[in-house]
Amino acid sequence: MDSLIAASARALASGDVLTALKHVALRDDPPALALRGIAMAQLGELPLARELLRRAQRGFGAHEVVARARCGLAEAEVALALRELGGSSEPLAAIAAQLDSRGDTANALQAWLILARRLLLLGKLQEAARVLRLLENRPMPAALAAMSALTAATLALRTLQTEQARTALERARVAAAQAGIAALQAEVDEALLKLDQPAARCLGGGADALLRIDQAQALLASGAWVVDACRRGLKVGSRWQSLARRPVLFALVRALAEAWPGDVDRDVLILRVFGRRDSDETLRARLRVEIGRLRALIASHARIEATSAGFRLSPCTATPVRVLVPPIEGEQAALVALLGDGAAWSTSALALALGAGQRNVQRALVALEFAGQARSSGRGRAQRWRSMPLNGFTTILLLPAALPID
C-alpha cells in the first residue's frame, strides 16, 4: 500500500471524506477506485459509488481475495443505503465469514452489522437478533461499536424493550463520541430523541392520552385489558391473542373496547365493522354471527353482553379496558413509517419490507403522493420514494413484522 492510499484510508476512517478524495481523486488503480467509491458513498452519491466499487472489484486479481471481499462489502452497504433489499442474505454472510477467516476482523464485523441492519429493515427480527449475538463481547473500533449499539437499540425498540434500547443508545453515544464522527453522533442523538417522543395514543374509559414507547410498554405489562391496534391483537395479563388475520373480529373488539364501559349501537358496529351505513336484517344477522365468534374467542377473560341498543364488553375481572392506537392510522400507516426514515425506497424494497404485493404498494404510494405525504424521483427501475419524517412522533410501533409480545 503506497503512502497516498494509506493516507486516504486513514482520512476515511476518521470521517474526513474530502481529504480522502484529494489523495486519490486522479487515480484509477483498483485500491484508489475502491477508496473513491467509499468516499462518494459517504457524500451521498450512491449510484456513482457503486459503479466505482464494481470497477475496483473487477480490477483486483483473483488472488486478491480480501480486497475483492472488501469491495463486495462496501457495495452491500451502498445497496442497503439505496434500500435495494432483494436477493438472498447469504452472499453477505459469506463475505463476513471470508474476511473473518483471513484476519480482517474489523471488516468482518462490519459485514455482520450490515446483514443485521438489512434483516431489521425486512422485519426479520429474530434473524437479526441471531446475527447480533455473533458480535457480543467482541472488541471493535469505536465507530463499529457505535453502529452495533445503534442496531441493538433499534431491535430493542421494535420489540418494545425500552430499557434495553436506552442502555444500548447510551453505549452508542459514548462510542460515537470516541469515534469523533459527526454524522454518527447525529444519528445516535436522533435515536435518543425518539425515546421521548409520543409513539401511540391510549383510548378507553373516556381517556385519550399520548404515550411514549416506555409508557406503551408499561400499559401492555400492567395487566389491563388492552386492544393493541399497533399489532392488531389483544393483550390480557400475560396472554397475547393475535387478530392480524381476522380483521372483522379485530374491528369489532376495538369498537367495543373504545366504548367501554358503555355499549355500542348495532348500527354503529355495522358501520365500523362492515363499512355499511344502511343496515338490514342480513347485516344484523352477520353481526350476530361475528359477535358469537368473538364471544368464543375471549370467553376465558371477558363477556359480550347484549343491551337494548347494541352490545357491551365486560371483562371477567375488575380491570380497565384500553385501546392502544398508533399516532397515525390508515391502510398506509406502515408504509408511512418506512418512508419516514428519510431514505429513498424502491417500490420492490417496500413490498419486501411490508410483505405485500408490489402493485398494492405502488397504488398506496400514488395515493400518498396525491395526499402530499410522499414524493418520488426517477422513472422505471430507478424510481425512488421518500417522505419527510413525522414531526413530533416516533413511528416505531407502526413498523411491520414485530416479534410477538411475550
Side-chain angles (χ1 to χ4, degrees):
M1 183 182 297
D2 61 53
S3 59
L4 288 178
I5 294 292
S8 180
R10 285 194 300 270
L12 276 179
S14 65
D16 190 354
V17 181
L18 295 181
T19 299
L21 277 175
K22 287 179 182 178
H23 293 307
V24 294
L26 300 179
R27 293 177 52 167
D28 284 327
D29 52 300
L33 287 173
L35 290 170
R36 283 169 57 193
I38 295 171
M40 296 310 294
Q42 293 187 17
L43 290 174
E45 297 292 337
L46 299 176
L48 176 58
R50 180 164 53 188
E51 177 59 29
L52 289 168
L53 289 167
R54 288 176 176 174
R55 285 175 56 193
Q57 191 172 34
R58 291 193 298 265
F60 285 115
H63 62 287
E64 297 175 289
V65 177
V66 173
R68 291 171 65 88
R70 288 173 179 170
C71 289
L73 168 61
E75 188 177 344
E77 190 163 15
V78 169
L80 184 72
L82 286 169
R83 297 298 189 262
E84 295 180 354
L85 306 177
S88 169
S89 298
E90 292 181 4
L92 188 53
I95 288 174
Q98 189 176 56
L99 289 170
D100 215 356
S101 66
R102 299 276 177 157
D104 191 354
T105 305
N107 280 312
L109 292 173
Q110 184 170 351
W112 289 121
L113 272 176
I114 294 170
L115 178 57
R117 290 163 59 197
R118 182 179 186 275
L119 292 170
L120 278 176
L121 285 175
L122 290 172
K124 299 179 180 180
L125 305 190
Q126 293 175 342
E127 293 180 38
R130 178 181 55 80
V131 172
L132 285 176
R133 283 195 291 271
L134 299 175
L135 308 181
E136 290 179 355
N137 302 319
R138 294 191 65 173
M140 59 183 72
L144 282 182
M147 284 307 305
S148 177
L150 262 175
T151 307
T154 302
L155 176 62
L157 285 174
R158 293 285 296 275
T159 54
L160 281 186
Q161 298 174 331
T162 51
E163 288 303 316
Q164 293 90 325
R166 194 176 295 277
T167 300
L169 286 174
E170 285 300 322
R171 293 201 311 269
R173 184 181 60 80
V174 172
Q178 292 175 350
I181 300 176
L184 190 55
Q185 291 172 312
E187 189 173 353
V188 174
D189 291 341
E190 183 180 352
L192 281 166
L193 185 63
K194 287 183 178 180
L195 289 177
D196 298 318
Q197 291 179 335
R201 291 167 58 212
C202 178
L203 309 176
D208 186 351
L210 292 173
L211 302 181
R212 300 189 306 271
I213 293 177
D214 58 336
Q215 293 172 323
Q217 180 189 19
L219 174 64
L220 291 167
S222 67
W225 214 96
V226 180
V227 177
D228 187 348
C230 300
R231 289 169 175 76
R232 292 185 168 267
L234 306 176
K235 183 72 161 53
V236 183
S238 60
R239 181 182 176 185
W240 169 254
Q241 175 69 55
S242 174
L243 293 176
R245 294 173 181 258
R246 305 183 76 173
V248 170
L249 292 188
F250 178 77
L252 189 56
V253 74
R254 174 175 173 176
L256 292 170
E258 287 182 4
W260 179 88
D263 60 355
V264 188
D265 185 270
R266 288 174 176 83
D267 290 338
V268 174
L269 283 175
I270 288 172
L271 176 61
R272 290 281 301 271
V273 176
F274 305 126
R276 297 283 297 275
R277 294 185 180 276
D278 50 337
S279 61
D280 54 25
E281 285 305 315
T282 301
L283 287 173
R284 285 176 177 263
R286 185 180 173 192
L287 177 63
R288 289 194 294 271
V289 170
E290 298 299 342
I291 286 286
R293 289 173 176 166
L294 184 59
R295 278 193 179 116
L297 186 70
I298 64 174
S300 61
H301 45 79
R303 301 184 305 275
I304 298 178
E305 302 170 345
T307 67
S308 58
F311 296 93
R312 177 174 56 236
L313 179 69
S314 297
C316 294
T317 58
T319 181
V321 176
R322 296 291 182 263
V323 181
L324 188 68
V325 301
I328 53 175
E329 295 194 75
E331 295 181 359
Q332 296 92 3
L335 190 57
V336 171
L338 287 172
L339 291 173
D341 66 359
W345 287 76
S346 65
T347 306
S348 58
L350 288 167
L352 280 171
L354 292 169
Q358 192 166 336
R359 290 192 177 185
N360 290 335
V361 171
Q362 183 66 44
R363 284 193 289 269
L365 287 168
V366 170
L368 287 175
E369 186 176 33
F370 182 77
Q373 295 179 278
R375 63 183 186 275
S376 65
S377 59
R379 291 184 177 275
R381 296 174 65 88
Q383 187 177 35
R384 294 294 182 270
W385 294 85
R386 68 171 75 234
S387 75
M388 297 301 293
L390 188 65
N391 293 330
F393 290 94
T394 175
T395 52
I396 288 293
L397 299 184
L398 291 173
L399 293 171
L403 288 173
I405 300 173
D406 296 328

